[in-house]
Amino acid sequence: MSNNKNRFQDFFDDHRYVALKNHLYNYFLRKRDINKFVAKNSGKPILEVGSGLSPMITRIRSVVYSDLSWSALRELKTTQIGNRFVAADGTMLPFKDGSFAQVVCSEVMEHISDDRSVMREIARVLAPSGNLIVTFPHRRFYYGADDRFVRHLRRYELAEMVSNLQAAGLDPLIIRKVLGPLEKLTMLLVVYVYAALQQLAKGDGKDNRSKRLPAAVISMSKWINRIYGVFVWLDARIMPRGLAAVLLIKAIKRP
C-alpha cells in the first residue's frame, strides 16, 4: 500500500468533496449491502481496512478504523466517537493474530500492488471462523478512464478474487452483486465532467478547493443521489452477475 500515492488524499483536502462524499449513491448502496452481513455482537472488535473518510461500518462500538491517511482518520474521529483509529499499511497490519471477529475491506484491494499480502494479513488478524466482507471492482473489460482517475491498478475477475482469497485461507460463502453497468457508465461520465470543470478552474487561475458548499447544495445533492440510487440498485438486481461493476464476497477463515 505504501508504494502507491493515495489518490484520495487530494479529495480529503477538498472541503466540497468531504461535504458530499457520504451522500453519494454508490457509497450508501455499498454500505447498505455490507451491513447486512456484519455481526453486531460478536464479542471481538471489527476491523475496517482502508476506511478513509467514509467507513462502511458506523453506529457500532468496538470498531477499529485503519487507513494510510492520518488526515482522513482525524476527520473520522469527529463522527465515530468511542472507536479506535490506526494509521497503517494494509500489507503490515499492527495487530496480533486472531484479534478480530470480522474485517471489512471495501474498494481497497484494487489500489494495492501486493494485494495478496493484504489478504494474508487480514486472514492473520481474523479469529478462527472469522469473516471477511470485501467489495471490489469487477470485470477487466470495464477498466477505463474512471479507474485510472482514482488509480485503480486493476479490476478483478470473480474467479481471480476467489482464488486469491482461498490462497490466503479464506473460503467464500456468499457472492452478491452490488453495482451494475449503469454505475460504470455513470462514473465515466462523472470523470469527464470533473476533468472539464478542473480545466475551467485552472483557466480562471483560482484554487477553489477550500470553498465550502452552501447547505442547500448539499441537501439537493443528497436527494438527487437517493433518487438516482434507486435506478442503480434496480440495474444491479436485473443485470446478470457477469455484467456487475462491483461485487461483494463474504468469506470465512478456515478454523
Side-chain angles (χ1 to χ4, degrees), residues 209-229:
R209 291 191 307 165
S210 62
K211 290 186 176 180
R212 296 185 181 274
L213 292 173
V217 173
I218 296 172
S219 180
M220 181 176 67
S221 172
K222 175 181 177 180
W223 287 108
I224 289 173
N225 274 276
R226 290 286 178 179
I227 294 168
Y228 191 62

PDB file of all heavy atoms in Angstrom, residues 209-229:
ATOM      1  N   ARG A 209     -10.557  24.736  -3.894  1.00  0.00           N
ATOM      2  CA  ARG A 209     -10.697  23.553  -3.052  1.00  0.00           C
ATOM      3  C   ARG A 209     -11.122  23.886  -1.632  1.00  0.00           C
ATOM      4  O   ARG A 209     -11.752  23.089  -0.962  1.00  0.00           O
ATOM      5  CB  ARG A 209      -9.376  22.774  -3.010  1.00  0.00           C
ATOM      6  CG  ARG A 209      -9.015  22.109  -4.317  1.00  0.00           C
ATOM      7  CD  ARG A 209      -7.865  21.157  -4.143  1.00  0.00           C
ATOM      8  NE  ARG A 209      -6.729  21.802  -3.511  1.00  0.00           N
ATOM      9  CZ  ARG A 209      -5.707  21.132  -2.985  1.00  0.00           C
ATOM     10  NH1 ARG A 209      -5.699  19.819  -2.993  1.00  0.00           N
ATOM     11  NH2 ARG A 209      -4.698  21.768  -2.440  1.00  0.00           N
ATOM     12  N   SER A 210     -10.745  25.052  -1.151  1.00  0.00           N
ATOM     13  CA  SER A 210     -11.054  25.402   0.237  1.00  0.00           C
ATOM     14  C   SER A 210     -12.463  25.953   0.407  1.00  0.00           C
ATOM     15  O   SER A 210     -12.900  26.181   1.529  1.00  0.00           O
ATOM     16  CB  SER A 210     -10.039  26.437   0.747  1.00  0.00           C
ATOM     17  OG  SER A 210     -10.131  27.618  -0.016  1.00  0.00           O
ATOM     18  N   LYS A 211     -13.170  26.178  -0.697  1.00  0.00           N
ATOM     19  CA  LYS A 211     -14.514  26.738  -0.595  1.00  0.00           C
ATOM     20  C   LYS A 211     -15.482  25.703  -0.044  1.00  0.00           C
ATOM     21  O   LYS A 211     -15.441  24.538  -0.410  1.00  0.00           O
ATOM     22  CB  LYS A 211     -14.992  27.223  -1.961  1.00  0.00           C
ATOM     23  CG  LYS A 211     -14.265  28.468  -2.464  1.00  0.00           C
ATOM     24  CD  LYS A 211     -14.904  28.978  -3.750  1.00  0.00           C
ATOM     25  CE  LYS A 211     -14.241  30.272  -4.201  1.00  0.00           C
ATOM     26  NZ  LYS A 211     -14.852  30.786  -5.445  1.00  0.00           N
ATOM     27  N   ARG A 212     -16.371  26.145   0.813  1.00  0.00           N
ATOM     28  CA  ARG A 212     -17.372  25.263   1.396  1.00  0.00           C
ATOM     29  C   ARG A 212     -18.695  25.442   0.662  1.00  0.00           C
ATOM     30  O   ARG A 212     -19.071  26.555   0.289  1.00  0.00           O
ATOM     31  CB  ARG A 212     -17.540  25.546   2.887  1.00  0.00           C
ATOM     32  CG  ARG A 212     -16.274  25.237   3.674  1.00  0.00           C
ATOM     33  CD  ARG A 212     -16.472  25.404   5.164  1.00  0.00           C
ATOM     34  NE  ARG A 212     -15.254  25.123   5.884  1.00  0.00           N
ATOM     35  CZ  ARG A 212     -14.869  23.926   6.274  1.00  0.00           C
ATOM     36  NH1 ARG A 212     -15.628  22.874   5.991  1.00  0.00           N
ATOM     37  NH2 ARG A 212     -13.749  23.750   6.934  1.00  0.00           N
ATOM     38  N   LEU A 213     -19.387  24.339   0.484  1.00  0.00           N
ATOM     39  CA  LEU A 213     -20.648  24.376  -0.247  1.00  0.00           C
ATOM     40  C   LEU A 213     -21.785  24.848   0.648  1.00  0.00           C
ATOM     41  O   LEU A 213     -21.827  24.506   1.834  1.00  0.00           O
ATOM     42  CB  LEU A 213     -20.967  22.986  -0.794  1.00  0.00           C
ATOM     43  CG  LEU A 213     -20.038  22.470  -1.896  1.00  0.00           C
ATOM     44  CD1 LEU A 213     -20.376  21.020  -2.197  1.00  0.00           C
ATOM     45  CD2 LEU A 213     -20.141  23.301  -3.150  1.00  0.00           C
ATOM     46  N   PRO A 214     -22.742  25.609   0.088  1.00  0.00           N
ATOM     47  CA  PRO A 214     -23.920  26.007   0.863  1.00  0.00           C
ATOM     48  C   PRO A 214     -24.724  24.785   1.286  1.00  0.00           C
ATOM     49  O   PRO A 214     -24.746  23.760   0.594  1.00  0.00           O
ATOM     50  CB  PRO A 214     -24.712  26.873  -0.122  1.00  0.00           C
ATOM     51  CG  PRO A 214     -23.723  27.294  -1.163  1.00  0.00           C
ATOM     52  CD  PRO A 214     -22.727  26.177  -1.266  1.00  0.00           C
ATOM     53  N   ALA A 215     -25.418  24.893   2.410  1.00  0.00           N
ATOM     54  CA  ALA A 215     -26.218  23.778   2.929  1.00  0.00           C
ATOM     55  C   ALA A 215     -27.279  23.338   1.927  1.00  0.00           C
ATOM     56  O   ALA A 215     -27.589  22.143   1.816  1.00  0.00           O
ATOM     57  CB  ALA A 215     -26.868  24.177   4.249  1.00  0.00           C
ATOM     58  N   ALA A 216     -27.840  24.288   1.168  1.00  0.00           N
ATOM     59  CA  ALA A 216     -28.877  23.953   0.190  1.00  0.00           C
ATOM     60  C   ALA A 216     -28.331  23.059  -0.916  1.00  0.00           C
ATOM     61  O   ALA A 216     -29.012  22.143  -1.391  1.00  0.00           O
ATOM     62  CB  ALA A 216     -29.468  25.230  -0.408  1.00  0.00           C
ATOM     63  N   VAL A 217     -27.092  23.308  -1.320  1.00  0.00           N
ATOM     64  CA  VAL A 217     -26.467  22.483  -2.358  1.00  0.00           C
ATOM     65  C   VAL A 217     -26.242  21.068  -1.844  1.00  0.00           C
ATOM     66  O   VAL A 217     -26.487  20.079  -2.549  1.00  0.00           O
ATOM     67  CB  VAL A 217     -25.135  23.110  -2.812  1.00  0.00           C
ATOM     68  CG1 VAL A 217     -24.389  22.167  -3.763  1.00  0.00           C
ATOM     69  CG2 VAL A 217     -25.385  24.451  -3.491  1.00  0.00           C
ATOM     70  N   ILE A 218     -25.771  20.952  -0.613  1.00  0.00           N
ATOM     71  CA  ILE A 218     -25.542  19.633  -0.012  1.00  0.00           C
ATOM     72  C   ILE A 218     -26.854  18.866   0.112  1.00  0.00           C
ATOM     73  O   ILE A 218     -26.934  17.679  -0.208  1.00  0.00           O
ATOM     74  CB  ILE A 218     -24.866  19.783   1.362  1.00  0.00           C
ATOM     75  CG1 ILE A 218     -23.478  20.419   1.195  1.00  0.00           C
ATOM     76  CG2 ILE A 218     -24.759  18.434   2.062  1.00  0.00           C
ATOM     77  CD1 ILE A 218     -22.815  20.777   2.505  1.00  0.00           C
ATOM     78  N   SER A 219     -27.908  19.538   0.565  1.00  0.00           N
ATOM     79  CA  SER A 219     -29.219  18.898   0.708  1.00  0.00           C
ATOM     80  C   SER A 219     -29.757  18.434  -0.640  1.00  0.00           C
ATOM     81  O   SER A 219     -30.277  17.319  -0.763  1.00  0.00           O
ATOM     82  CB  SER A 219     -30.192  19.870   1.369  1.00  0.00           C
ATOM     83  OG  SER A 219     -31.467  19.280   1.511  1.00  0.00           O
ATOM     84  N   MET A 220     -29.629  19.276  -1.670  1.00  0.00           N
ATOM     85  CA  MET A 220     -30.103  18.909  -3.000  1.00  0.00           C
ATOM     86  C   MET A 220     -29.320  17.709  -3.539  1.00  0.00           C
ATOM     87  O   MET A 220     -29.898  16.780  -4.113  1.00  0.00           O
ATOM     88  CB  MET A 220     -29.959  20.088  -3.954  1.00  0.00           C
ATOM     89  CG  MET A 220     -30.461  19.796  -5.376  1.00  0.00           C
ATOM     90  SD  MET A 220     -30.393  21.253  -6.438  1.00  0.00           S
ATOM     91  CE  MET A 220     -28.614  21.495  -6.550  1.00  0.00           C
ATOM     92  N   SER A 221     -28.009  17.722  -3.333  1.00  0.00           N
ATOM     93  CA  SER A 221     -27.175  16.599  -3.781  1.00  0.00           C
ATOM     94  C   SER A 221     -27.587  15.301  -3.099  1.00  0.00           C
ATOM     95  O   SER A 221     -27.631  14.238  -3.724  1.00  0.00           O
ATOM     96  CB  SER A 221     -25.705  16.898  -3.485  1.00  0.00           C
ATOM     97  OG  SER A 221     -24.904  15.778  -3.736  1.00  0.00           O
ATOM     98  N   LYS A 222     -27.896  15.397  -1.812  1.00  0.00           N
ATOM     99  CA  LYS A 222     -28.316  14.207  -1.054  1.00  0.00           C
ATOM    100  C   LYS A 222     -29.546  13.571  -1.683  1.00  0.00           C
ATOM    101  O   LYS A 222     -29.591  12.350  -1.906  1.00  0.00           O
ATOM    102  CB  LYS A 222     -28.600  14.601   0.391  1.00  0.00           C
ATOM    103  CG  LYS A 222     -29.149  13.464   1.246  1.00  0.00           C
ATOM    104  CD  LYS A 222     -29.420  13.938   2.662  1.00  0.00           C
ATOM    105  CE  LYS A 222     -30.028  12.825   3.505  1.00  0.00           C
ATOM    106  NZ  LYS A 222     -30.297  13.279   4.899  1.00  0.00           N
ATOM    107  N   TRP A 223     -30.554  14.383  -2.005  1.00  0.00           N
ATOM    108  CA  TRP A 223     -31.795  13.821  -2.533  1.00  0.00           C
ATOM    109  C   TRP A 223     -31.659  13.359  -3.977  1.00  0.00           C
ATOM    110  O   TRP A 223     -32.260  12.348  -4.365  1.00  0.00           O
ATOM    111  CB  TRP A 223     -32.930  14.836  -2.381  1.00  0.00           C
ATOM    112  CG  TRP A 223     -33.353  14.940  -0.954  1.00  0.00           C
ATOM    113  CD1 TRP A 223     -33.137  15.968  -0.092  1.00  0.00           C
ATOM    114  CD2 TRP A 223     -34.011  13.917  -0.198  1.00  0.00           C
ATOM    115  NE1 TRP A 223     -33.624  15.674   1.155  1.00  0.00           N
ATOM    116  CE2 TRP A 223     -34.167  14.421   1.135  1.00  0.00           C
ATOM    117  CE3 TRP A 223     -34.488  12.639  -0.491  1.00  0.00           C
ATOM    118  CZ2 TRP A 223     -34.780  13.685   2.142  1.00  0.00           C
ATOM    119  CZ3 TRP A 223     -35.095  11.911   0.520  1.00  0.00           C
ATOM    120  CH2 TRP A 223     -35.237  12.432   1.814  1.00  0.00           C
ATOM    121  N   ILE A 224     -30.842  14.034  -4.765  1.00  0.00           N
ATOM    122  CA  ILE A 224     -30.575  13.572  -6.132  1.00  0.00           C
ATOM    123  C   ILE A 224     -29.911  12.199  -6.090  1.00  0.00           C
ATOM    124  O   ILE A 224     -30.260  11.294  -6.856  1.00  0.00           O
ATOM    125  CB  ILE A 224     -29.699  14.591  -6.880  1.00  0.00           C
ATOM    126  CG1 ILE A 224     -30.502  15.852  -7.190  1.00  0.00           C
ATOM    127  CG2 ILE A 224     -29.152  13.988  -8.174  1.00  0.00           C
ATOM    128  CD1 ILE A 224     -29.671  16.982  -7.771  1.00  0.00           C
ATOM    129  N   ASN A 225     -28.942  12.035  -5.190  1.00  0.00           N
ATOM    130  CA  ASN A 225     -28.256  10.749  -5.063  1.00  0.00           C
ATOM    131  C   ASN A 225     -29.199   9.657  -4.578  1.00  0.00           C
ATOM    132  O   ASN A 225     -29.109   8.508  -5.026  1.00  0.00           O
ATOM    133  CB  ASN A 225     -27.062  10.882  -4.124  1.00  0.00           C
ATOM    134  CG  ASN A 225     -25.814  11.342  -4.825  1.00  0.00           C
ATOM    135  OD1 ASN A 225     -25.081  10.538  -5.399  1.00  0.00           O
ATOM    136  ND2 ASN A 225     -25.561  12.645  -4.815  1.00  0.00           N
ATOM    137  N   ARG A 226     -30.097   9.975  -3.667  1.00  0.00           N
ATOM    138  CA  ARG A 226     -31.058   8.984  -3.173  1.00  0.00           C
ATOM    139  C   ARG A 226     -31.964   8.505  -4.296  1.00  0.00           C
ATOM    140  O   ARG A 226     -32.230   7.304  -4.446  1.00  0.00           O
ATOM    141  CB  ARG A 226     -31.901   9.591  -2.045  1.00  0.00           C
ATOM    142  CG  ARG A 226     -31.137   9.829  -0.770  1.00  0.00           C
ATOM    143  CD  ARG A 226     -30.861   8.534  -0.033  1.00  0.00           C
ATOM    144  NE  ARG A 226     -30.076   8.756   1.174  1.00  0.00           N
ATOM    145  CZ  ARG A 226     -29.716   7.792   2.002  1.00  0.00           C
ATOM    146  NH1 ARG A 226     -30.057   6.544   1.747  1.00  0.00           N
ATOM    147  NH2 ARG A 226     -29.000   8.063   3.074  1.00  0.00           N
ATOM    148  N   ILE A 227     -32.454   9.452  -5.089  1.00  0.00           N
ATOM    149  CA  ILE A 227     -33.353   9.086  -6.193  1.00  0.00           C
ATOM    150  C   ILE A 227     -32.603   8.288  -7.252  1.00  0.00           C
ATOM    151  O   ILE A 227     -33.074   7.245  -7.718  1.00  0.00           O
ATOM    152  CB  ILE A 227     -33.986  10.356  -6.796  1.00  0.00           C
ATOM    153  CG1 ILE A 227     -34.916  11.023  -5.773  1.00  0.00           C
ATOM    154  CG2 ILE A 227     -34.744  10.028  -8.074  1.00  0.00           C
ATOM    155  CD1 ILE A 227     -35.361  12.414  -6.151  1.00  0.00           C
ATOM    156  N   TYR A 228     -31.419   8.764  -7.626  1.00  0.00           N
ATOM    157  CA  TYR A 228     -30.651   8.055  -8.649  1.00  0.00           C
ATOM    158  C   TYR A 228     -30.217   6.678  -8.150  1.00  0.00           C
ATOM    159  O   TYR A 228     -30.138   5.713  -8.923  1.00  0.00           O
ATOM    160  CB  TYR A 228     -29.423   8.877  -9.042  1.00  0.00           C
ATOM    161  CG  TYR A 228     -28.727   8.346 -10.261  1.00  0.00           C
ATOM    162  CD1 TYR A 228     -29.379   8.290 -11.492  1.00  0.00           C
ATOM    163  CD2 TYR A 228     -27.416   7.881 -10.191  1.00  0.00           C
ATOM    164  CE1 TYR A 228     -28.743   7.795 -12.616  1.00  0.00           C
ATOM    165  CE2 TYR A 228     -26.770   7.387 -11.310  1.00  0.00           C
ATOM    166  CZ  TYR A 228     -27.448   7.346 -12.515  1.00  0.00           C
ATOM    167  OH  TYR A 228     -26.825   6.849 -13.627  1.00  0.00           O
ATOM    168  N   GLY A 229     -29.980   6.584  -6.856  1.00  0.00           N
ATOM    169  CA  GLY A 229     -29.582   5.304  -6.281  1.00  0.00           C
ATOM    170  C   GLY A 229     -30.603   4.207  -6.486  1.00  0.00           C
ATOM    171  O   GLY A 229     -30.250   3.025  -6.592  1.00  0.00           O
TER     172      GLY A 229
END
